[in-house]
Amino acid sequence: MIDLIFPDGSKRQYDDGVTGKQVAASIAPSLAKRAALIKLDGELLDVDRPLPKGGQFEILSRDSAAALETLRHDTSHIMAQAVQELFPGTQVTIGPSIEDGFYYDFARDEPFSLDDLPKIEARMKEIVDRDLPLVREVWKRDEAIAHFKSIGETYKAEIIEGIPAGEDVSLYRQGDDWKDLCRGPHFPSTKFIGKAFKLTKLAGAYWRGDHRNAQLQRIYGTAWASDADLEAHVTRLEEAEKRDHRKIGRAMDLFHMQEEGRGMVFWHPKGLTLWHTVESYIRRRMDAAGYVEVRTPQVLDRVFWEKSGHWEKYRPNMFVCETEEGEELALKPMNCPGHVQIFNHGQKSYRDLPLRMAEFGACHRYEPSGALHGLMRVRAFTQDDGHIFCREDQIEEETTRFIELASSIHADFGLERDHIALATRPEVRAGSDAFWDKAEAQMLSAARKAGVEPVIAEGDGAFYAPKLDFLLKDAIGRQWACGTIQLDYVLPERLDADYVGEDGQKHRPVMLHRAICGSMERFIGVLIENFAGAFPLWLAPVQVVVATITSDADDYARQVAKALVAKGLRVETDLRNEKINYKVREHSLAKTPVIAVVGRREAELGQVALRRLGSDGQEILDLASAANALALAATPPDIARNAGGVERAGEAG
RNA sequence: GCCGCUUUAGCUCAGCUGGUAGAGCACCUCAUUCGUAAUGAGGGGGUCACAGGUUCGAGUCCUGUAAGCGGCACCA
């Protein structure tokens, strides 16, 4: 006998070997009909599978949130069956559920075309209508291998060959003759899957994720419990597309890229204004946090990069040039070795540590062509780089301080943090296990001291040390990696950095590599997408447009603009011979935060009518108070805080 | 780098099965001076990504190259 505890807390006893469906039937026949999946002590099971033990028991319907992943997984199997029915000779490989949907990788000589997707979708719906039972079968490993080999499914056979000998494997039968290796669980039959799915894209993907292996054809799809959910998802995608920084960058005239400079950005005046605003802000924060700013050479002799170790490992990804005299030089792919040179210049004492060195360092990396993506992945980029040279016993405190600094900065940009990832030792690595134990523990404990519990990213660390990565969330919930801090014992050793300790002996400092934006290009791309171009006042490239109603007000409009500029605001005037409706529409679409409308009335009374983006009302103020109010509202958050702090201190005193 | 798709005016796109290019917005000119999301009229603008090929004839068909896009791999 087994004991089952139901969600309402009640407890009942059942015979051994009872299935979830039988339990459901014992409660209500309608429940048994609806049962799509069983949850037993948190584990999901097929409804027809005998329960292996007692425990917390729940019957899930197809539209419960916990069943969504299974629904997507099932949909991928249906797609595999549909593809094999339509395109005989196609081999199946793997087909997992992913965020919002699923994919399946197929091996087929001829490529699928986009036109095939509707056909496959139609066949999938037909399979749903057939209401084929999904039946779990347990096979001997070797028999399963022989089976898949006999039907020409070499990839499946290879997967099973990876399972230890003697272990049984589970196969799911979909109808009479379609079978797939699968751990399960699945819904009872294809009808449960429903039709709220859509095949979305074709892609190439390497077998087992390794580029040395054969390339398979991947079909992506999205699947939901209801048509309404599917529609909402499609709408979300459309929204995301509207925010694309490449689109907005063009529309707002921020930057462009062109063929002759792949992965390189031409920053237009407005884009560079945005850049400068971000850079000035970061610089102020770095100054306040005790960093010294430096600048290191753009191009250095090959010998230098050989010494740092980059030549050997990253030569194919470096831009290299040769001089008339035959010297080989390379554009810097990173700033760290340069910073070590500054550290090494002159003798350092333990009293100089921690030494925090920052640089807006322009770097060049020859990224693979397929990796380029707007501002997000470029070949010429500027890191808000920084290196903290410190003693080993200062690592934790410096890391904690950095996490706090980065968190505050991200918050000022309106970016919410999803989580911090602790990337741990990779398979190929330098250093002993004892070293990694210690280093990982240091990063973990530093994060906890800053009040965050990192999510472990197993094996994602650099080859010389672990790192913490900041994963931010934008306005529509997408994640972006911005900001990192990583430990490094290797580079100080290679470049022979040292300081004199209290004991008068030379010691090796530890380096902490850190960045808050990552790359300025990428960070600006994230900001554009986060705000969909509607920047907060302090970031907006153009903060105020002074627009006239008739040409009578032209002189006054110039006077208004001058007064606003004098307050440090970024202002444009629109004196065109156009109707005010037209101007308001145009500047609203351009996401200008404030339109200051002036007509004859304002000119006579010395006023301005302010219209803020997103509201259709207007606020009529005299010029001086409008200028003051806007200047105050446009104050960068760090300066606003400091001003507030001074006032509060004054009050307290 | 690999797989697939795409490339027509500054932007967004139309151009059926081959018969030497079209719209809206933007731009320029003129008229209009109009109080909070598009005033009207006129005008200029294209080696149809590039290079070959098939054809009497190619934006349209074929091949190659490049770039862009979506993935994969990569990301010090």
Side-chain angles (χ1 to χ4, degrees), chain A residues 2 49 80 158 189 643:
Chain A
I2 56 171
R49 199 161 161 197
E158 191 182 323
S189 75

Side-chain angles (χ1 to χ4, degrees), chain A residues 352-364:
Chain A
D352 296 320
L353 306 185
L355 176 59
R356 307 185 190 96
M357 204 183 280
E359 175 175 5
F360 291 96
C363 297
H364 290 79

Side-chain angles (χ1 to χ4, degrees), chain A residues 545 547 574 576 583-592 595:
Chain A
V545 169
D574 184 352
R576 290 175 302 170
K583 294 185 184 181
V584 165
R585 175 180 154 83
E586 195 169 273
H587 300 301
S588 299
L589 289 174
K591 315 271 174 81
T592 309
I595 304 172

Side-chain angles (χ1 to χ4, degrees), chain A residues 163-470:
Chain A
I163 294 172
E167 252 177 56
D168 290 341
V169 298
S170 62
L171 267 56
Y172 279 79
R173 189 158 56 76
Q174 216 159 284
D176 290 333
D177 44 31
W178 197 83
K179 289 192 197 72
D180 196 356
L181 168 78
C182 189
R183 195 170 285 130
H186 284 290
F187 288 168
S189 75
T190 58
K191 144 192 110 181
F192 279 78
I193 286 124
K195 294 179 183 174
F197 55 76
K198 197 170 163 51
L199 302 186
T200 51
K201 52 198 174 196
L202 286 172
Y206 298 106
W207 168 235
R208 299 200 145 152
D210 189 328
H211 68 278
R212 289 162 300 192
N213 289 341
Q215 190 150 29
L216 308 169
Q217 297 186 64
R218 176 171 299 179
I219 302 178
Y220 282 94
T222 184
W224 301 84
S226 72
D227 288 341
D229 288 352
L230 174 60
E231 230 164 88
H233 175 247
V234 171
T235 308
R236 272 198 301 281
L237 290 184
E238 285 164 4
E239 284 305 309
E241 209 175 310
K242 281 189 211 149
R243 294 172 169 261
D244 191 312
H245 70 281
R246 292 164 296 193
K247 216 174 245 188
I248 293 177
R250 190 164 46 231
M252 294 183 79
D253 197 18
L254 301 177
F255 67 90
H256 86 269
M257 297 167 104
Q258 63 190 47
E259 258 190 59
E260 296 85 344
R262 299 195 63 191
M264 319 260 172
V265 185
F266 290 77
W267 287 99
H268 295 197
K270 285 177 188 167
L272 191 63
T273 299
L274 176 57
W275 176 304
H276 282 156
T277 306
V278 175
E279 185 179 295
S280 305
Y281 164 85
I282 297 284
R283 179 172 286 124
R284 287 194 303 272
R285 298 299 308 264
M286 290 308 112
D287 286 349
Y291 285 76
V292 289
E293 186 174 341
V294 298
R295 178 155 295 175
T296 58
Q298 208 54 243
V299 183
L300 288 165
D301 199 287
R302 157 182 183 162
V303 174
F304 182 79
W305 302 109
E306 283 172 347
K307 211 190 291 177
S308 74
H310 292 97
W311 189 268
E312 187 196 359
K313 190 149 194 249
Y314 295 109
R315 166 68 190 85
N317 298 311
M318 287 168 74
F319 282 98
V320 177
C321 52
E322 201 176 313
T323 66
E324 206 59 23
E325 285 145 356
E327 296 169 286
E328 238 183 323
L329 307 171
L331 267 69
K332 69 173 170 185
M334 50 168 16
N335 309 297
C336 347
H339 288 188
V340 178
Q341 303 315 303
I342 294 178
F343 181 88
N344 284 354
H345 215 80
Q347 197 150 60
K348 293 292 176 295
S349 144
Y350 71 95
R351 297 180 209 271
D352 296 320
L353 306 185
L355 176 59
R356 307 185 190 96
M357 204 183 280
E359 175 175 5
F360 291 96
C363 297
H364 290 79
R365 294 180 187 176
Y366 188 76
E367 301 286 6
S369 56
L372 302 177
H373 179 91
L375 295 177
M376 302 307 193
R377 188 85 179 269
V378 288
R379 285 179 174 162
F381 57 99
T382 300
Q383 291 180 316
D384 65 319
D385 208 354
H387 295 93
I388 302 168
F389 296 88
C390 65
R391 298 190 313 252
E392 223 181 312
D393 62 297
Q394 293 170 322
I395 293 172
E396 252 185 60
E397 190 193 333
E398 286 303 310
T399 304
T400 305
R401 286 175 60 143
F402 175 74
I403 294 170
E404 284 162 358
L405 178 64
S407 305
S408 151
I409 290 175
H410 291 149
D412 277 351
F413 283 108
L415 295 164
E416 198 187 320
R417 185 161 69 223
D418 190 81
H419 67 276
I420 288 182
L422 170 58
T424 59
R425 64 195 83 184
E427 266 178 53
V428 184
R429 58 179 179 261
S432 65
D433 283 354
F435 158 77
W436 281 92
D437 288 343
K438 189 174 75 180
E440 286 168 6
Q442 278 170 327
M443 298 304 262
L444 185 61
S445 137
R448 285 182 176 154
K449 281 200 179 127
V452 288
E453 187 60 36
V455 174
I456 307 296
E458 204 70 54
D460 269 357
F463 77 93
Y464 48 84
K467 57 175 179 170
L468 291 170
D469 286 322
F470 291 69

Side-chain angles (χ1 to χ4, degrees), chain A residues 109-127:
Chain A
D109 292 337
E110 208 183 316
F112 291 112
S113 87
L114 246 25
D115 301 333
D116 294 329
L117 299 189
K119 292 178 206 157
I120 298 170
E121 256 176 46
R123 180 60 68 103
M124 288 167 70
K125 287 178 181 166
E126 210 184 298
I127 294 172

